[in-house]
Amino acid sequence: TMGNWLVNHWFSAAVLAAWLGINIFLFTYYFLFFDQDERYFYTRAILGSALAWARASAKCLNFNSMLILLPVCRNLLSFLRGTCSCCRRTLRKQLDHNLTFHKLVAYALALLTAVHTIAHLFNLERYNQSQQATDGSLHAVLSKMHLQGSDKWLNPIHSNQTTVEYVAFTTIPGLTGVIITLALILMVTSSTEFIRRNYFELFWYTHHLFLVYFAGLVIHGIAGLVRGQTEQSMAEVPPHHCAEYLPQRDQNCTHDCCKDPEFGSIPAESWKWVLAPIILYVFERILRVWRAQQKVVVTKVVMHPARVLELQMQKKGFCMEVGQYIFVNCPAISPLEWHPFTLTSAPEEDFFSIHIRAAGDWTERLIDTFQLETPRIEVDGPFGTASEDVFQYEVAMLVGAGIGVTPFASILKSIWYKFQQADQTLKTKKIYFYWLCRDTGAFAWFNDLLASLEQKMAESGKADFLTYRLFLTGWNTSIVNNVALHFDTATDTVTGLRHKTIFGRPMWNMEFAAVAAAHPRSVVGVFLCGPEALAKSLQKSCHQHSSLDPRKVKFYFNKENF
């Protein structure tokens, strides 16, 4: 429900409201300023309201360009997490929405760029019309001001042959505007989920066009093509009083408004907005380079079926929590590319590990390289907020879908270690684990992990601590025939585990009803790492199966953003 969302995400809601509020304020304030201020009386005589649309969107573009880098300063976010470690976890967790905010700001930039560009196309058309006008009207007279002296102009177009293309490719604002817009279009289109998942290199390299974007942004307003009347000129020839005399003035003029109005450019100010975040980002990159130089020792390399590579590593001073991720670089393959991987080891282990499946050029080449030799690896991280909420519930329902199963490797191992060591911070007495995947091939390593946990629990007489159910959502007839043949065996034919694989999707109502019946007085934490559609269905089930009686079963939903 909306109420629950606001309770859990009040910080995100406050940030969103503040961001929207500042954008609306900036747009409205500067729209009214350029639409009504005396300084731009003559500029408006040529351009009309398109001036206000262009300038108001420019202010909002500056504001959002200032924000766009902050959510991707990973070390800054880690520092903020550290400084607010005494804050509530919900507050720290909101920092993990950094990429959502980054995308939101990017979409705002795209929308504002469209508004700014369209407004300037109207402006160019009006500048052109005024330059070509010969009817002696105010806008026609203002467009001929450049004939009075080189610095007297108000209309930047001084020739009847000027085209939009000419202005776009020969003036500083035109050319930088085209370059900035192209860079933005390429960055936005190459960062779709599909491209990030399948062609990460394309996304990675295209995103570095942000350097071109910021360089263009800083230079964009330098030429000062849009002008307004100077303060001194306004005092001498106030526009609201003198404008009517300007078109019909003659050589023998004697009244107060005889003097020509004088104009000055609006100073470029984008650099003032973006300087601080650019400096912060430069420090961020320097820190990443320094951290990357610290030696990483690969202690074990395991090649799992279906081309999944497990790397176990050690690095001095490395300290992880469950549910965190690291960035990995292999200079032998590409000195510039850093790829994110969820940690699959538990904090209790004396190494940290990741599982890399072949998904794209870089991962393919990394797996091939490791089959021949052990290349040098650089690691940056760990990042992200620890998923420690799992340990706070007596009963936990963990749902991993597809690749979303990865973080649960760390969580399940850590829970087992805490359980073994009788850790006082662990309140968990029972875990239900649901694994949904199309085919188990790419996750055979996870099977092995479950099998070893199953064995350890059986050996220590705690076999009922973990109940797991595997749902195969994609299968073919040969698998089904094989299952039918070996139906009465002790272990599963697909996974080799004691718990049988179920074909199809879970009936969540039945699963929740069974957990509620088994734990009538418990608080159950439901954790998902998977798609949004599944999140909605689990949230609905949590709501339906929670008892109104405070002494009876309650389900609390937590979606992890890995």
Side-chain angles (χ1 to χ4, degrees):
T1 62
M2 191 65 185
N4 282 350
W5 187 90
L6 281 171
V7 168
N8 292 329
H9 299 84
W10 64 268
F11 182 71
S12 292
V15 169
L16 192 63
W19 173 75
L20 262 177
I22 293 169
N23 270 300
I24 292 166
F25 167 76
L26 282 173
F27 194 91
T28 311
Y29 178 84
Y30 283 102
F31 187 93
L32 294 172
F33 176 76
F34 282 97
D35 203 45
Q36 292 170 7
D37 194 81
E38 289 280 279
R39 255 169 292 185
Y40 303 100
F41 184 94
Y42 289 122
T43 321
R44 283 194 300 275
I46 300 176
L47 300 178
S49 66
L51 167 73
W53 281 99
R55 298 307 304 169
S57 55
K59 293 290 174 189
C60 291
L61 277 166
N62 283 337
F63 170 63
N64 286 288
S65 297
M66 175 181 84
L67 297 179
I68 194 85
L69 286 177
L70 297 178
V72 288
C73 289
R74 297 194 293 265
N75 289 299
L76 171 71
L77 294 177
S78 290
F79 171 74
L80 289 175
R81 258 189 217 102
T83 52
C84 70
S85 56
C86 50
C87 318
R88 284 183 55 203
R89 253 198 96 258
T90 45
L91 184 64
R92 297 206 306 282
K93 199 84 190 141
Q94 300 314 306
L95 290 171
D96 286 349
H97 297 311
N98 59 325
L99 291 183
T100 309
F101 185 63
H102 177 72
K103 287 177 200 167
L104 186 67
V105 173
Y107 292 136
L109 283 174
L111 175 68
L112 291 161
T113 300
V115 173
H116 188 71
T117 307
I118 292 164
H120 271 320
L121 287 172
F122 274 104
N123 287 337
L124 273 179
E125 191 53 42
R126 289 192 179 145
Y127 274 140
N128 242 331
Q129 285 170 357
S130 301
Q131 166 59 27
Q132 290 166 15
T134 51
D135 56 2
S137 59
L138 179 58
H139 65 90
V141 171
L142 288 166
S143 296
K144 301 288 181 286
M145 296 286 286
H146 63 278
L147 302 171
Q148 313 290 326
S150 62
D151 201 38
K152 296 259 184 173
W153 61 273
L154 178 61
N155 186 336
I157 295 175
H158 302 161
S159 148
N160 288 354
Q161 277 70 53
T162 308
T163 62
V164 169
E165 292 79 21
Y166 180 83
V167 174
F169 294 103
T170 61
T171 63
I172 291 175
L175 192 57
T176 54
V178 168
I179 291 169
I180 289 172
T181 307
L182 282 175
L184 193 63
I185 289 169
L186 285 169
M187 284 190 285
V188 170
T189 51
S190 68
S191 56
T192 58
E193 183 85 10
F194 176 78
I195 288 176
R196 281 204 329 273
R197 288 258 183 251
N198 299 294
Y199 305 99
F200 188 86
E201 295 84 357
L202 178 66
F203 157 73
W204 178 261
Y205 286 116
T206 313
H207 243 61
H208 281 77
L209 285 170
F210 83 91
L211 297 166
V212 175
Y213 174 85
F214 278 102
L217 186 73
V218 169
I219 301 165
H220 186 60
I222 277 177
L225 293 196
V226 178
R227 308 186 100 191
Q229 198 174 353
T230 61
E231 295 284 348
Q232 190 185 344
S233 174
M234 280 172 64
E236 292 169 356
V237 277
H240 61 278
H241 172 55
C242 296
E244 58 186 295
Y245 297 107
L246 202 56
Q248 64 250 30
R249 214 176 39 181
D250 56 22
Q251 299 297 317
N252 311 319
C253 172
T254 53
H255 56 72
D256 295 346
C257 296
C258 293
K259 199 174 176 191
D260 281 335
E262 291 188 4
F263 304 102
S265 296
I266 301 168
E269 53 171 37
S270 292
W271 67 271
K272 293 179 190 171
W273 290 83
V274 298
L275 185 65
I278 286 174
I279 290 170
L280 251 177
Y281 192 76
V282 167
F283 274 116
E284 166 82 18
R285 292 306 280 245
I286 291 167
L287 187 57
R288 282 189 207 176
V289 169
W290 174 75
R291 281 168 61 148
Q293 298 312 308
Q294 295 168 330
K295 194 173 182 226
V296 175
V297 180
V298 178
T299 54
K300 193 175 179 186
V301 179
V302 185
M303 198 65 217
H304 293 282
R307 277 178 73 74
V308 173
L309 175 74
E310 179 184 354
L311 296 181
Q312 294 184 7
M313 297 165 278
Q314 287 177 331
K315 180 180 175 180
K316 196 178 173 187
F318 188 92
C319 182
M320 69 160 285
E321 302 288 348
V322 290
Q324 289 189 308
Y325 63 94
I326 57 171
F327 276 81
V328 175
N329 168 266
C330 179
I333 296 172
S334 165
L336 297 174
E337 281 182 50
W338 288 84
H339 291 249
F341 293 98
T342 303
L343 289 162
T344 52
S345 49
E348 291 81 1
E349 291 172 309
D350 61 352
F351 60 86
F352 61 96
S353 69
I354 54 172
H355 285 72
I356 302 163
R357 65 182 184 134
D361 298 348
W362 188 87
T363 47
E364 289 277 6
R365 275 155 55 205
L366 186 77
I367 291 166
D368 290 342
T369 308
F370 266 99
Q371 284 176 323
L372 300 170
E373 55 167 337
T374 303
R376 187 165 72 87
I377 288 285
E378 294 178 352
V379 166
D380 190 20
F383 299 108
T385 302
S387 307
E388 287 169 339
D389 283 3
V390 181
F391 309 138
Q392 304 305 312
Y393 293 93
E394 281 179 33
V395 181
M397 289 172 76
L398 312 179
V399 184
I403 190 76
V405 78
T406 316
F408 290 118
S410 174
I411 291 167
L412 287 171
K413 279 201 263 185
S414 188
I415 287 176
W416 175 244
Y417 282 118
K418 287 184 191 306
F419 193 73
Q420 285 277 70
Q421 294 155 10
D423 190 322
Q424 295 306 306
T425 60
L426 180 73
K427 295 179 182 170
T428 318
K429 302 283 185 287
K430 175 77 184 175
I431 291 173
Y432 292 90
F433 180 63
Y434 303 86
W435 178 15
L436 290 66
C437 67
R438 214 173 281 278
D439 73 293
T440 53
F443 303 104
W445 63 270
F446 197 81
N447 272 346
D448 300 343
L449 168 74
L450 281 176
S452 73
L453 278 177
E454 197 172 49
Q455 194 183 342
K456 284 175 190 168
M457 287 173 192
E459 283 167 6
S460 56
K462 301 279 192 292
D464 55 350
F465 176 64
L466 171 69
T467 299
Y468 57 86
R469 297 161 80 75
L470 273 58
F471 295 87
L472 206 60
T473 57
W475 68 88
N476 58 34
T477 48
S478 66
I479 294 178
V480 176
N481 292 338
N482 192 23
V483 169
L485 271 173
H486 301 91
F487 187 74
D488 53 355
T489 53
T491 58
D492 187 71
T493 54
V494 179
T495 60
L497 294 162
R498 291 192 190 134
H499 289 244
K500 299 280 185 185
T501 300
I502 300 155
F503 294 90
R505 296 184 183 281
M507 307 283 282
W508 288 117
N509 271 337
M510 287 167 63
E511 301 296 341
F512 274 79
V515 172
H519 309 276
R521 296 185 182 279
S522 292
V523 175
V524 182
V526 180
F527 294 84
L528 164 72
C529 187
E532 205 54 53
L534 186 53
K536 284 181 182 159
S537 123
L538 286 175
Q539 210 157 4
K540 192 176 164 194
S541 295
C542 284
H543 196 66
Q544 283 174 347
H545 291 272
S546 289
S547 169
L548 291 171
D549 185 338
R551 292 164 300 177
K552 292 189 177 168
V553 71
K554 283 268 182 302
F555 290 91
Y556 286 101
F557 179 71
N558 300 265
K559 182 172 187 324
E560 295 292 2
N561 293 304
F562 296 106

